[in-house]
Amino acid sequence: MAVLVLAAGLGAAAASSGGAEPPVRRVEVHRGDTLWSIADRYSASRDPVATIERIRHLNHLSGYTIYPGQELNVPAGDR
């Protein structure tokens, strides 16, 4: 049992660090933009909630507030 748990943990660690990071694009926040609207605009085929969390991670955001003029790294989607 312990071997299975260890193997699962090692597999998850390899999956999270073994692959190359997906491409990102740099976008400027405009007046009225929200993380939701940016996630929806640039990552249409993905779940907006997951994309918002990815944007927060890429930009080291502790919250959900963004400001006009701010530049954000956003996962490059299909748009």
Short mmCIF file of all heavy atoms in Angstrom, two decimals:
data_model
loop_
_atom_site.label_atom_id
_atom_site.label_comp_id
_atom_site.label_asym_id
_atom_site.label_seq_id
_atom_site.Cartn_x
_atom_site.Cartn_y
_atom_site.Cartn_z
N MET A 1 0.83 -1.19 0.00
CA MET A 1 0.00 0.00 0.00
C MET A 1 0.88 1.26 0.00
O MET A 1 0.62 2.18 -0.74
CB MET A 1 -0.92 -0.05 1.22
CG MET A 1 -1.85 1.11 1.30
SD MET A 1 -3.04 1.04 -0.03
CE MET A 1 -4.34 1.93 0.66
N ALA A 2 1.91 1.28 0.83
CA ALA A 2 2.79 2.44 0.89
C ALA A 2 3.50 2.65 -0.44
O ALA A 2 3.74 3.79 -0.83
CB ALA A 2 3.81 2.26 2.01
N VAL A 3 3.81 1.57 -1.13
CA VAL A 3 4.47 1.68 -2.43
C VAL A 3 3.54 2.37 -3.43
O VAL A 3 3.97 3.21 -4.21
CB VAL A 3 4.91 0.28 -2.94
CG1 VAL A 3 5.43 0.37 -4.35
CG2 VAL A 3 5.95 -0.31 -2.01
N LEU A 4 2.26 2.02 -3.40
CA LEU A 4 1.30 2.65 -4.31
C LEU A 4 1.17 4.14 -4.04
O LEU A 4 1.12 4.94 -4.96
CB LEU A 4 -0.06 1.97 -4.21
CG LEU A 4 -0.15 0.55 -4.74
CD1 LEU A 4 -1.54 -0.03 -4.49
CD2 LEU A 4 0.18 0.51 -6.22
N VAL A 5 1.11 4.50 -2.77
CA VAL A 5 1.01 5.91 -2.41
C VAL A 5 2.26 6.66 -2.85
O VAL A 5 2.17 7.74 -3.43
CB VAL A 5 0.78 6.07 -0.89
CG1 VAL A 5 0.87 7.53 -0.47
CG2 VAL A 5 -0.57 5.49 -0.50
N LEU A 6 3.43 6.08 -2.63
CA LEU A 6 4.68 6.70 -3.03
C LEU A 6 4.75 6.84 -4.55
O LEU A 6 5.12 7.89 -5.08
CB LEU A 6 5.87 5.89 -2.53
CG LEU A 6 7.26 6.41 -2.89
CD1 LEU A 6 7.44 7.82 -2.33
CD2 LEU A 6 8.33 5.49 -2.38
N ALA A 7 4.36 5.79 -5.27
CA ALA A 7 4.40 5.83 -6.73
C ALA A 7 3.44 6.90 -7.26
O ALA A 7 3.76 7.63 -8.20
CB ALA A 7 4.05 4.46 -7.31
N ALA A 8 2.26 7.00 -6.66
CA ALA A 8 1.30 8.02 -7.10
C ALA A 8 1.85 9.41 -6.86
O ALA A 8 1.72 10.30 -7.69
CB ALA A 8 -0.03 7.83 -6.38
N GLY A 9 2.49 9.61 -5.72
CA GLY A 9 3.08 10.91 -5.40
C GLY A 9 4.20 11.27 -6.34
O GLY A 9 4.30 12.41 -6.80
N LEU A 10 5.04 10.33 -6.66
CA LEU A 10 6.13 10.59 -7.60
C LEU A 10 5.61 10.87 -9.00
O LEU A 10 6.13 11.73 -9.69
CB LEU A 10 7.09 9.40 -7.63
CG LEU A 10 7.93 9.18 -6.37
CD1 LEU A 10 8.73 7.89 -6.48
CD2 LEU A 10 8.83 10.36 -6.12
N GLY A 11 4.56 10.18 -9.40
CA GLY A 11 3.97 10.42 -10.72
C GLY A 11 3.38 11.81 -10.82
O GLY A 11 3.55 12.51 -11.81
N ALA A 12 2.71 12.24 -9.76
CA ALA A 12 2.12 13.59 -9.76
C ALA A 12 3.21 14.65 -9.78
O ALA A 12 3.09 15.66 -10.47
CB ALA A 12 1.23 13.76 -8.53
N ALA A 13 4.29 14.43 -9.04
CA ALA A 13 5.39 15.40 -9.02
C ALA A 13 6.04 15.48 -10.39
O ALA A 13 6.38 16.56 -10.87
CB ALA A 13 6.41 15.02 -7.96
N ALA A 14 6.23 14.35 -11.03
CA ALA A 14 6.84 14.36 -12.37
C ALA A 14 5.95 15.04 -13.38
O ALA A 14 6.41 15.78 -14.24
CB ALA A 14 7.14 12.92 -12.81
N ALA A 15 4.65 14.82 -13.28
CA ALA A 15 3.72 15.44 -14.22
C ALA A 15 3.69 16.95 -14.05
O ALA A 15 3.59 17.70 -15.01
CB ALA A 15 2.32 14.86 -14.03
N SER A 16 3.80 17.43 -12.81
CA SER A 16 3.70 18.87 -12.58
C SER A 16 5.00 19.59 -12.91
O SER A 16 4.98 20.78 -13.19
CB SER A 16 3.29 19.15 -11.14
OG SER A 16 4.31 18.73 -10.25
N SER A 17 6.14 18.90 -12.87
CA SER A 17 7.38 19.61 -13.12
C SER A 17 8.11 19.13 -14.37
O SER A 17 9.05 19.76 -14.80
CB SER A 17 8.31 19.46 -11.90
OG SER A 17 8.65 18.09 -11.74
N GLY A 18 7.67 18.00 -14.94
CA GLY A 18 8.41 17.42 -16.05
C GLY A 18 8.16 18.07 -17.39
O GLY A 18 9.03 18.11 -18.23
N GLY A 19 6.98 18.61 -17.61
CA GLY A 19 6.65 19.17 -18.91
C GLY A 19 7.00 20.63 -19.00
O GLY A 19 7.19 21.32 -18.01
N ALA A 20 7.09 21.09 -20.22
CA ALA A 20 7.33 22.51 -20.44
C ALA A 20 6.07 23.30 -20.10
O ALA A 20 4.96 22.81 -20.26
CB ALA A 20 7.72 22.75 -21.90
N GLU A 21 6.28 24.50 -19.63
CA GLU A 21 5.13 25.38 -19.33
C GLU A 21 4.41 25.73 -20.62
O GLU A 21 5.05 25.98 -21.65
CB GLU A 21 5.63 26.66 -18.66
CG GLU A 21 6.00 26.50 -17.22
CD GLU A 21 4.81 26.25 -16.32
OE1 GLU A 21 3.77 26.93 -16.47
OE2 GLU A 21 4.91 25.36 -15.47
N PRO A 22 3.08 25.77 -20.58
CA PRO A 22 2.34 26.18 -21.78
C PRO A 22 2.69 27.63 -22.13
O PRO A 22 3.07 28.41 -21.25
CB PRO A 22 0.88 26.08 -21.37
CG PRO A 22 0.84 25.41 -20.06
CD PRO A 22 2.22 25.43 -19.48
N PRO A 23 2.58 27.99 -23.39
CA PRO A 23 2.91 29.36 -23.79
C PRO A 23 1.96 30.37 -23.15
O PRO A 23 0.81 30.06 -22.87
CB PRO A 23 2.76 29.35 -25.30
CG PRO A 23 1.95 28.14 -25.62
CD PRO A 23 2.13 27.17 -24.50
N VAL A 24 2.49 31.55 -22.90
CA VAL A 24 1.69 32.64 -22.34
C VAL A 24 1.78 33.85 -23.26
O VAL A 24 2.69 33.97 -24.06
CB VAL A 24 2.14 33.03 -20.91
CG1 VAL A 24 1.95 31.89 -19.95
CG2 VAL A 24 3.57 33.50 -20.89
N ARG A 25 0.82 34.72 -23.13
CA ARG A 25 0.87 36.01 -23.82
C ARG A 25 0.73 37.09 -22.78
O ARG A 25 0.19 36.87 -21.71
CB ARG A 25 -0.23 36.10 -24.88
CG ARG A 25 -1.63 36.15 -24.31
CD ARG A 25 -2.68 36.46 -25.32
NE ARG A 25 -2.77 35.37 -26.27
CZ ARG A 25 -3.44 35.42 -27.40
NH1 ARG A 25 -4.11 36.49 -27.71
NH2 ARG A 25 -3.49 34.41 -28.22
N ARG A 26 1.24 38.25 -23.10
CA ARG A 26 1.19 39.40 -22.20
C ARG A 26 0.05 40.30 -22.67
O ARG A 26 0.01 40.67 -23.85
CB ARG A 26 2.52 40.14 -22.27
CG ARG A 26 2.73 41.12 -21.19
CD ARG A 26 3.69 40.53 -20.18
NE ARG A 26 4.11 41.60 -19.28
CZ ARG A 26 4.00 41.48 -17.98
NH1 ARG A 26 3.56 40.38 -17.46
NH2 ARG A 26 4.36 42.46 -17.21
N VAL A 27 -0.87 40.63 -21.77
CA VAL A 27 -2.00 41.49 -22.12
C VAL A 27 -2.10 42.65 -21.13
O VAL A 27 -1.69 42.53 -19.98
CB VAL A 27 -3.34 40.71 -22.15
CG1 VAL A 27 -3.30 39.59 -23.16
CG2 VAL A 27 -3.71 40.18 -20.80
N GLU A 28 -2.61 43.76 -21.63
CA GLU A 28 -2.82 44.92 -20.77
C GLU A 28 -4.27 44.94 -20.30
O GLU A 28 -5.20 44.73 -21.08
CB GLU A 28 -2.52 46.22 -21.54
CG GLU A 28 -2.66 47.44 -20.67
CD GLU A 28 -2.29 48.73 -21.40
OE1 GLU A 28 -1.67 48.65 -22.48
OE2 GLU A 28 -2.63 49.80 -20.88
N VAL A 29 -4.45 45.23 -19.02
CA VAL A 29 -5.78 45.34 -18.44
C VAL A 29 -6.38 46.69 -18.84
O VAL A 29 -5.72 47.73 -18.72
CB VAL A 29 -5.72 45.23 -16.90
CG1 VAL A 29 -7.10 45.43 -16.29
CG2 VAL A 29 -5.11 43.89 -16.48
N HIS A 30 -7.60 46.66 -19.36
CA HIS A 30 -8.31 47.88 -19.72
C HIS A 30 -9.42 48.16 -18.72
O HIS A 30 -9.83 47.25 -17.98
CB HIS A 30 -8.91 47.75 -21.13
CG HIS A 30 -7.85 47.63 -22.18
ND1 HIS A 30 -7.55 46.45 -22.81
CD2 HIS A 30 -7.00 48.55 -22.69
CE1 HIS A 30 -6.57 46.63 -23.66
NE2 HIS A 30 -6.21 47.91 -23.61
N ARG A 31 -9.90 49.38 -18.71
CA ARG A 31 -10.98 49.77 -17.81
C ARG A 31 -12.16 48.83 -18.02
O ARG A 31 -12.56 48.56 -19.15
CB ARG A 31 -11.39 51.21 -18.09
CG ARG A 31 -12.41 51.72 -17.14
CD ARG A 31 -12.62 53.21 -17.36
NE ARG A 31 -13.63 53.67 -16.46
CZ ARG A 31 -14.66 54.41 -16.82
NH1 ARG A 31 -14.76 54.82 -18.07
NH2 ARG A 31 -15.55 54.78 -15.94
N GLY A 32 -12.70 48.31 -16.95
CA GLY A 32 -13.84 47.41 -17.01
C GLY A 32 -13.47 45.93 -17.10
O GLY A 32 -14.32 45.06 -16.96
N ASP A 33 -12.18 45.64 -17.35
CA ASP A 33 -11.75 44.24 -17.40
C ASP A 33 -11.81 43.61 -16.02
O ASP A 33 -11.56 44.26 -15.00
CB ASP A 33 -10.31 44.13 -17.91
CG ASP A 33 -10.19 44.22 -19.42
OD1 ASP A 33 -11.21 44.10 -20.12
OD2 ASP A 33 -9.05 44.42 -19.89
N THR A 34 -12.12 42.33 -16.01
CA THR A 34 -12.05 41.51 -14.81
C THR A 34 -11.24 40.27 -15.16
O THR A 34 -11.01 39.99 -16.33
CB THR A 34 -13.45 41.08 -14.35
OG1 THR A 34 -14.04 40.27 -15.38
CG2 THR A 34 -14.35 42.28 -14.06
N LEU A 35 -10.81 39.55 -14.15
CA LEU A 35 -10.11 38.30 -14.44
C LEU A 35 -11.01 37.37 -15.25
O LEU A 35 -10.56 36.67 -16.15
CB LEU A 35 -9.64 37.62 -13.15
CG LEU A 35 -8.45 38.28 -12.47
CD1 LEU A 35 -8.16 37.61 -11.13
CD2 LEU A 35 -7.22 38.23 -13.36
N TRP A 36 -12.30 37.37 -14.95
CA TRP A 36 -13.24 36.52 -15.68
C TRP A 36 -13.29 36.93 -17.16
O TRP A 36 -13.22 36.08 -18.04
CB TRP A 36 -14.63 36.61 -15.06
CG TRP A 36 -15.60 35.66 -15.71
CD1 TRP A 36 -16.29 35.85 -16.86
CD2 TRP A 36 -15.93 34.35 -15.26
NE1 TRP A 36 -17.05 34.74 -17.15
CE2 TRP A 36 -16.85 33.81 -16.18
CE3 TRP A 36 -15.55 33.59 -14.15
CZ2 TRP A 36 -17.40 32.55 -16.04
CZ3 TRP A 36 -16.11 32.33 -14.02
CH2 TRP A 36 -17.01 31.82 -14.95
N SER A 37 -13.40 38.22 -17.43
CA SER A 37 -13.51 38.65 -18.83
C SER A 37 -12.22 38.37 -19.60
O SER A 37 -12.25 38.00 -20.78
CB SER A 37 -13.89 40.14 -18.93
OG SER A 37 -12.86 40.98 -18.46
N ILE A 38 -11.09 38.53 -18.94
CA ILE A 38 -9.81 38.23 -19.59
C ILE A 38 -9.69 36.74 -19.84
O ILE A 38 -9.29 36.31 -20.93
CB ILE A 38 -8.63 38.78 -18.75
CG1 ILE A 38 -8.65 40.31 -18.81
CG2 ILE A 38 -7.31 38.23 -19.25
CD1 ILE A 38 -7.69 40.98 -17.87
N ALA A 39 -10.04 35.92 -18.86
CA ALA A 39 -10.00 34.47 -19.03
C ALA A 39 -10.92 34.04 -20.17
O ALA A 39 -10.55 33.20 -21.00
CB ALA A 39 -10.39 33.77 -17.73
N ASP A 40 -12.08 34.62 -20.23
CA ASP A 40 -13.04 34.29 -21.28
C ASP A 40 -12.54 34.74 -22.66
O ASP A 40 -12.67 34.03 -23.64
CB ASP A 40 -14.39 34.96 -20.97
CG ASP A 40 -15.47 34.53 -21.92
OD1 ASP A 40 -15.64 33.31 -22.12
OD2 ASP A 40 -16.16 35.41 -22.46
N ARG A 41 -11.91 35.89 -22.72
CA ARG A 41 -11.43 36.44 -23.99
C ARG A 41 -10.24 35.67 -24.56
O ARG A 41 -10.17 35.43 -25.76
CB ARG A 41 -11.03 37.90 -23.78
CG ARG A 41 -10.65 38.63 -25.05
CD ARG A 41 -10.29 40.10 -24.81
NE ARG A 41 -11.23 40.75 -23.92
CZ ARG A 41 -10.87 41.51 -22.87
NH1 ARG A 41 -9.60 41.71 -22.58
NH2 ARG A 41 -11.78 42.07 -22.12
N TYR A 42 -9.31 35.29 -23.72
CA TYR A 42 -8.06 34.71 -24.23
C TYR A 42 -7.96 33.19 -24.11
O TYR A 42 -7.04 32.61 -24.65
CB TYR A 42 -6.86 35.36 -23.53
CG TYR A 42 -6.71 36.80 -23.92
CD1 TYR A 42 -7.14 37.83 -23.10
CD2 TYR A 42 -6.17 37.13 -25.16
CE1 TYR A 42 -7.01 39.15 -23.48
CE2 TYR A 42 -6.05 38.46 -25.55
CZ TYR A 42 -6.47 39.46 -24.70
OH TYR A 42 -6.35 40.77 -25.08
N SER A 43 -8.87 32.57 -23.42
CA SER A 43 -8.81 31.11 -23.27
C SER A 43 -10.21 30.53 -23.42
O SER A 43 -10.74 29.90 -22.51
CB SER A 43 -8.22 30.75 -21.91
OG SER A 43 -6.91 31.22 -21.80
N ALA A 44 -10.80 30.74 -24.56
CA ALA A 44 -12.20 30.37 -24.78
C ALA A 44 -12.48 28.89 -24.62
O ALA A 44 -13.57 28.51 -24.20
CB ALA A 44 -12.63 30.82 -26.17
N SER A 45 -11.54 28.03 -24.93
CA SER A 45 -11.82 26.60 -24.87
C SER A 45 -11.60 26.01 -23.48
O SER A 45 -11.85 24.84 -23.25
CB SER A 45 -10.95 25.85 -25.88
OG SER A 45 -9.60 25.97 -25.53
N ARG A 46 -11.15 26.79 -22.56
CA ARG A 46 -10.87 26.31 -21.21
C ARG A 46 -11.95 26.75 -20.23
O ARG A 46 -12.68 27.69 -20.48
CB ARG A 46 -9.52 26.83 -20.73
CG ARG A 46 -8.38 26.34 -21.56
CD ARG A 46 -7.09 26.84 -21.00
NE ARG A 46 -5.99 26.42 -21.86
CZ ARG A 46 -4.87 27.07 -21.99
NH1 ARG A 46 -4.67 28.19 -21.34
NH2 ARG A 46 -3.92 26.62 -22.78
N ASP A 47 -11.98 26.11 -19.10
CA ASP A 47 -12.86 26.48 -18.00
C ASP A 47 -12.40 27.84 -17.46
O ASP A 47 -11.24 27.97 -17.04
CB ASP A 47 -12.77 25.40 -16.93
CG ASP A 47 -13.50 25.76 -15.65
OD1 ASP A 47 -14.42 26.60 -15.70
OD2 ASP A 47 -13.16 25.18 -14.61
N PRO A 48 -13.26 28.86 -17.47
CA PRO A 48 -12.83 30.19 -17.01
C PRO A 48 -12.30 30.20 -15.58
O PRO A 48 -11.35 30.91 -15.28
CB PRO A 48 -14.09 31.05 -17.13
CG PRO A 48 -14.95 30.35 -18.10
CD PRO A 48 -14.63 28.89 -17.97
N VAL A 49 -12.87 29.40 -14.71
CA VAL A 49 -12.42 29.38 -13.31
C VAL A 49 -10.99 28.85 -13.24
O VAL A 49 -10.13 29.42 -12.56
CB VAL A 49 -13.36 28.54 -12.43
CG1 VAL A 49 -12.81 28.39 -11.02
CG2 VAL A 49 -14.75 29.17 -12.41
N ALA A 50 -10.69 27.79 -13.96
CA ALA A 50 -9.33 27.24 -13.98
C ALA A 50 -8.37 28.24 -14.61
O ALA A 50 -7.23 28.40 -14.15
CB ALA A 50 -9.31 25.92 -14.74
N THR A 51 -8.82 28.93 -15.65
CA THR A 51 -7.96 29.92 -16.32
C THR A 51 -7.68 31.10 -15.38
O THR A 51 -6.55 31.60 -15.34
CB THR A 51 -8.60 30.40 -17.63
OG1 THR A 51 -8.82 29.26 -18.47
CG2 THR A 51 -7.71 31.39 -18.35
N ILE A 52 -8.68 31.53 -14.64
CA ILE A 52 -8.48 32.62 -13.66
C ILE A 52 -7.41 32.21 -12.65
O ILE A 52 -6.50 32.99 -12.35
CB ILE A 52 -9.80 32.98 -12.96
CG1 ILE A 52 -10.72 33.71 -13.93
CG2 ILE A 52 -9.54 33.82 -11.71
CD1 ILE A 52 -12.14 33.87 -13.43
N GLU A 53 -7.50 31.01 -12.15
CA GLU A 53 -6.51 30.55 -11.18
C GLU A 53 -5.12 30.46 -11.80
O GLU A 53 -4.12 30.78 -11.17
CB GLU A 53 -6.93 29.22 -10.55
CG GLU A 53 -8.17 29.34 -9.68
CD GLU A 53 -8.07 30.45 -8.64
OE1 GLU A 53 -7.05 30.56 -7.94
OE2 GLU A 53 -9.03 31.24 -8.52
N ARG A 54 -5.06 30.05 -13.07
CA ARG A 54 -3.77 30.00 -13.77
C ARG A 54 -3.20 31.41 -13.94
O ARG A 54 -2.00 31.63 -13.74
CB ARG A 54 -3.97 29.33 -15.14
CG ARG A 54 -2.70 29.14 -15.89
CD ARG A 54 -1.86 28.03 -15.29
NE ARG A 54 -0.60 27.98 -16.01
CZ ARG A 54 0.59 28.02 -15.44
NH1 ARG A 54 0.70 28.05 -14.14
NH2 ARG A 54 1.68 27.99 -16.16
N ILE A 55 -4.05 32.38 -14.30
CA ILE A 55 -3.61 33.78 -14.43
C ILE A 55 -3.09 34.28 -13.08
O ILE A 55 -2.03 34.92 -13.01
CB ILE A 55 -4.75 34.68 -14.94
CG1 ILE A 55 -5.10 34.33 -16.39
CG2 ILE A 55 -4.37 36.16 -14.82
CD1 ILE A 55 -6.38 34.99 -16.90
N ARG A 56 -3.82 33.98 -12.02
CA ARG A 56 -3.38 34.42 -10.68
C ARG A 56 -2.02 33.82 -10.36
O ARG A 56 -1.14 34.51 -9.83
CB ARG A 56 -4.41 34.02 -9.63
CG ARG A 56 -5.69 34.84 -9.73
CD ARG A 56 -6.69 34.46 -8.66
NE ARG A 56 -6.14 34.80 -7.36
CZ ARG A 56 -6.28 34.03 -6.27
NH1 ARG A 56 -6.92 32.89 -6.32
NH2 ARG A 56 -5.75 34.41 -5.14
N HIS A 57 -1.83 32.54 -10.67
CA HIS A 57 -0.56 31.87 -10.40
C HIS A 57 0.57 32.48 -11.25
O HIS A 57 1.65 32.76 -10.72
CB HIS A 57 -0.69 30.37 -10.68
CG HIS A 57 0.60 29.64 -10.58
ND1 HIS A 57 1.17 29.30 -9.36
CD2 HIS A 57 1.45 29.18 -11.53
CE1 HIS A 57 2.31 28.67 -9.58
NE2 HIS A 57 2.50 28.58 -10.88
N LEU A 58 0.33 32.67 -12.53
CA LEU A 58 1.36 33.22 -13.42
C LEU A 58 1.82 34.61 -13.01
O LEU A 58 2.95 35.00 -13.27
CB LEU A 58 0.83 33.29 -14.86
CG LEU A 58 0.69 31.97 -15.60
CD1 LEU A 58 -0.07 32.18 -16.91
CD2 LEU A 58 2.07 31.37 -15.88
N ASN A 59 0.91 35.37 -12.39
CA ASN A 59 1.20 36.76 -12.05
C ASN A 59 1.39 36.99 -10.55
O ASN A 59 1.46 38.14 -10.11
CB ASN A 59 0.08 37.66 -12.60
CG ASN A 59 0.06 37.61 -14.10
OD1 ASN A 59 0.87 38.25 -14.76
ND2 ASN A 59 -0.85 36.83 -14.67
N HIS A 60 1.42 35.92 -9.79
CA HIS A 60 1.62 36.00 -8.34
C HIS A 60 0.59 36.93 -7.69
O HIS A 60 0.93 37.75 -6.83
CB HIS A 60 3.04 36.46 -8.01
CG HIS A 60 4.09 35.67 -8.71
ND1 HIS A 60 4.42 34.38 -8.37
CD2 HIS A 60 4.85 35.96 -9.79
CE1 HIS A 60 5.34 33.92 -9.19
NE2 HIS A 60 5.62 34.86 -10.07
N LEU A 61 -0.68 36.80 -8.11
CA LEU A 61 -1.75 37.61 -7.54
C LEU A 61 -2.31 36.91 -6.31
O LEU A 61 -2.68 35.74 -6.37
CB LEU A 61 -2.88 37.81 -8.56
CG LEU A 61 -2.52 38.50 -9.87
CD1 LEU A 61 -3.73 38.52 -10.80
CD2 LEU A 61 -2.02 39.91 -9.62
N SER A 62 -2.40 37.63 -5.20
CA SER A 62 -2.95 37.02 -4.00
C SER A 62 -4.47 37.13 -3.96
O SER A 62 -5.13 36.39 -3.24
CB SER A 62 -2.34 37.67 -2.74
OG SER A 62 -2.64 39.05 -2.73
N GLY A 63 -5.01 38.05 -4.75
CA GLY A 63 -6.46 38.23 -4.77
C GLY A 63 -6.97 38.24 -6.20
O GLY A 63 -6.33 37.71 -7.11
N TYR A 64 -8.11 38.88 -6.38
CA TYR A 64 -8.77 38.91 -7.69
C TYR A 64 -8.87 40.32 -8.27
O TYR A 64 -9.52 40.52 -9.28
CB TYR A 64 -10.17 38.30 -7.56
CG TYR A 64 -10.12 36.85 -7.18
CD1 TYR A 64 -10.11 36.45 -5.85
CD2 TYR A 64 -10.05 35.86 -8.16
CE1 TYR A 64 -10.04 35.11 -5.51
CE2 TYR A 64 -9.98 34.52 -7.82
CZ TYR A 64 -9.97 34.16 -6.50
OH TYR A 64 -9.89 32.83 -6.15
N THR A 65 -8.21 41.28 -7.65
CA THR A 65 -8.28 42.67 -8.10
C THR A 65 -7.18 42.93 -9.12
O THR A 65 -6.02 42.61 -8.90
CB THR A 65 -8.12 43.63 -6.90
OG1 THR A 65 -9.12 43.32 -5.92
CG2 THR A 65 -8.26 45.07 -7.34
N ILE A 66 -7.59 43.53 -10.24
CA ILE A 66 -6.64 43.97 -11.26
C ILE A 66 -6.95 45.42 -11.60
O ILE A 66 -8.04 45.91 -11.31
CB ILE A 66 -6.70 43.07 -12.53
CG1 ILE A 66 -8.12 43.02 -13.10
CG2 ILE A 66 -6.18 41.67 -12.21
CD1 ILE A 66 -8.23 42.23 -14.41
N TYR A 67 -5.98 46.10 -12.21
CA TYR A 67 -6.11 47.54 -12.44
C TYR A 67 -5.82 47.89 -13.90
O TYR A 67 -4.95 47.29 -14.53
CB TYR A 67 -5.11 48.29 -11.55
CG TYR A 67 -5.31 47.99 -10.09
CD1 TYR A 67 -4.56 47.01 -9.45
CD2 TYR A 67 -6.27 48.67 -9.35
CE1 TYR A 67 -4.75 46.72 -8.11
CE2 TYR A 67 -6.48 48.40 -8.02
CZ TYR A 67 -5.72 47.43 -7.40
OH TYR A 67 -5.92 47.14 -6.07
N PRO A 68 -6.53 48.90 -14.44
CA PRO A 68 -6.24 49.36 -15.80
C PRO A 68 -4.76 49.74 -15.92
O PRO A 68 -4.18 50.34 -15.01
CB PRO A 68 -7.14 50.58 -15.97
CG PRO A 68 -8.27 50.36 -15.01
CD PRO A 68 -7.64 49.65 -13.84
N GLY A 69 -4.16 49.34 -17.02
CA GLY A 69 -2.75 49.60 -17.26
C GLY A 69 -1.84 48.49 -16.78
O GLY A 69 -0.68 48.39 -17.20
N GLN A 70 -2.34 47.64 -15.92
CA GLN A 70 -1.57 46.50 -15.43
C GLN A 70 -1.34 45.51 -16.58
O GLN A 70 -2.22 45.31 -17.40
CB GLN A 70 -2.33 45.83 -14.30
CG GLN A 70 -1.64 44.70 -13.61
CD GLN A 70 -2.46 44.16 -12.43
OE1 GLN A 70 -3.61 44.56 -12.20
NE2 GLN A 70 -1.88 43.25 -11.69
N GLU A 71 -0.17 44.92 -16.63
CA GLU A 71 0.09 43.90 -17.64
C GLU A 71 0.08 42.54 -16.97
O GLU A 71 0.66 42.36 -15.89
CB GLU A 71 1.43 44.16 -18.33
CG GLU A 71 1.38 45.39 -19.22
CD GLU A 71 2.57 45.50 -20.13
OE1 GLU A 71 3.48 44.65 -20.08
OE2 GLU A 71 2.58 46.45 -20.93
N LEU A 72 -0.59 41.59 -17.60
CA LEU A 72 -0.72 40.25 -17.05
C LEU A 72 -0.21 39.21 -18.03
O LEU A 72 -0.40 39.34 -19.25
CB LEU A 72 -2.19 39.94 -16.75
CG LEU A 72 -2.89 40.78 -15.70
CD1 LEU A 72 -4.37 40.43 -15.66
CD2 LEU A 72 -2.25 40.59 -14.34
N ASN A 73 0.40 38.17 -17.50
CA ASN A 73 0.70 36.98 -18.30
C ASN A 73 -0.57 36.13 -18.29
O ASN A 73 -1.14 35.87 -17.23
CB ASN A 73 1.85 36.20 -17.68
CG ASN A 73 3.15 36.94 -17.78
OD1 ASN A 73 3.47 37.49 -18.84
ND2 ASN A 73 3.91 36.97 -16.72
N VAL A 74 -1.00 35.73 -19.48
CA VAL A 74 -2.23 34.96 -19.64
C VAL A 74 -1.90 33.72 -20.48
O VAL A 74 -1.16 33.84 -21.47
CB VAL A 74 -3.30 35.83 -20.36
CG1 VAL A 74 -4.56 35.04 -20.65
CG2 VAL A 74 -3.62 37.05 -19.52
N PRO A 75 -2.43 32.55 -20.09
CA PRO A 75 -2.19 31.38 -20.92
C PRO A 75 -2.62 31.65 -22.36
O PRO A 75 -3.71 32.18 -22.59
CB PRO A 75 -3.06 30.29 -20.30
CG PRO A 75 -3.35 30.78 -18.92
CD PRO A 75 -3.31 32.27 -18.97
N ALA A 76 -1.77 31.31 -23.30
CA ALA A 76 -2.11 31.51 -24.71
C ALA A 76 -3.17 30.47 -25.09
O ALA A 76 -2.93 29.28 -25.01
CB ALA A 76 -0.86 31.36 -25.58
N GLY A 77 -4.33 30.95 -25.45
CA GLY A 77 -5.42 30.06 -25.81
C GLY A 77 -5.55 29.95 -27.32
O GLY A 77 -4.59 30.16 -28.07
N ASP A 78 -6.75 29.66 -27.74
CA ASP A 78 -6.97 29.48 -29.17
C ASP A 78 -7.51 30.74 -29.82
O ASP A 78 -8.04 30.69 -30.90
CB ASP A 78 -7.91 28.30 -29.39
CG ASP A 78 -9.18 28.39 -28.55
OD1 ASP A 78 -9.42 29.42 -27.93
OD2 ASP A 78 -9.91 27.41 -28.52
N ARG A 79 -7.41 31.87 -29.14
CA ARG A 79 -7.88 33.14 -29.72
C ARG A 79 -6.74 34.09 -29.88
O ARG A 79 -5.82 34.14 -29.20
CB ARG A 79 -8.92 33.77 -28.83
CG ARG A 79 -10.22 33.04 -28.87
CD ARG A 79 -11.25 33.89 -28.18
NE ARG A 79 -12.49 33.18 -28.26
CZ ARG A 79 -13.62 33.65 -27.80
NH1 ARG A 79 -13.67 34.83 -27.26
NH2 ARG A 79 -14.71 32.96 -27.90
#
